[in-house]
Amino acid sequence: MTVPIIAIDGPSGSGKGTVSRLLASRLGWHLLDSGALYRLVALSGMLRDISDGDEPAHAVLAATLDARFETDAAGQERVLLDGQDVTLDLRAETTGNLASVVAAMPTVRGALLDRQRGFAVPPGLVADGRDMGTVVFPAAGLKVFLTASAEERARRRYNQLKEKGLAANLAGLSQEIHERDRRDSARSVAPLRPATDAVIIDSTGMTVEQVVAQVLALAREAFPAI
Ligand code: DC
């Protein structure tokens, strides 16, 4: 049986995470937060004092990652690494920046491929990332490339961090977003770019609800059975 898949790709702060989570919950489908896997590899390396540029060591971590995604009794998502709750550390900007470095390592990407594909189980999957439609799920029935201006993305990231009670600096975030965009788009392996058959949605000035409604409408066309 082919599992219906919606691939949502796009740059940091484009709203992919929020939109993907809402879509998965509305459709009752599974969610793959592929960025969390790259963040977990980065965090695992930091915790083990592995140097940032050590590709073989990071590839081993990626292949042997002991990670669990859970939702607690209050409906809060938790991520466990080696049995420890790392939910907050995972979202820190330092983790995100290192994730972008390890995500450029071809052997790390290769080691995470099967794990990502394993999320495609019935009744369906919403896959959130950078290369969902181009590399991991090239046969996905619906591919969306969600973007927004760099200024809007920095502002959204700032508000997200503040809401979580984390330290944030708008100018610094804006610079990091530009830097991460450049690294994610320029890397030779699985660079950030829309699949040729992706629908591009620019969410600048759109509410989350408007984006979700647009993707749901596209999903009903792509998967008439839902
Ligand atoms: O979406 P995010 O910020 O959690 O992603 C963290 C980093 O991982 C980001 O710099 C890009 C990278 N990434 C990737 O290369 N491929 C994916 N499918 C998901 C994330």
Side-chain angles (χ1 to χ4, degrees), residues 68-72 76-80:
R68 287 211 312 276
F69 296 85
E70 293 183 351
T71 307
D72 69 15
Q76 277 297 315
E77 282 173 34
R78 294 197 316 154
V79 187
L80 305 185

Side-chain angles (χ1 to χ4, degrees), residues 122-187:
L125 176 69
V126 179
D128 159 7
R130 305 291 192 291
D131 60 344
M132 298 296 101
T134 49
V135 176
V136 183
F137 301 112
L142 174 60
K143 299 177 187 177
V144 171
F145 191 86
L146 194 56
T147 185
S149 70
E151 291 65 35
E152 171 127 354
R153 290 187 284 127
R155 224 172 11 250
R156 288 178 189 170
R157 202 71 163 179
Y158 177 84
N159 292 337
Q160 251 176 17
L161 290 169
K162 283 281 173 200
E163 272 167 29
K164 288 181 184 158
L166 296 170
N169 168 290
L170 190 55
L173 281 172
S174 181
Q175 200 183 334
E176 280 174 14
I177 279 192
H178 277 107
E179 177 57 21
R180 208 182 300 175
D181 278 0
R182 196 198 52 71
R183 206 161 38 215
D184 292 343
S185 312
R187 70 178 176 222

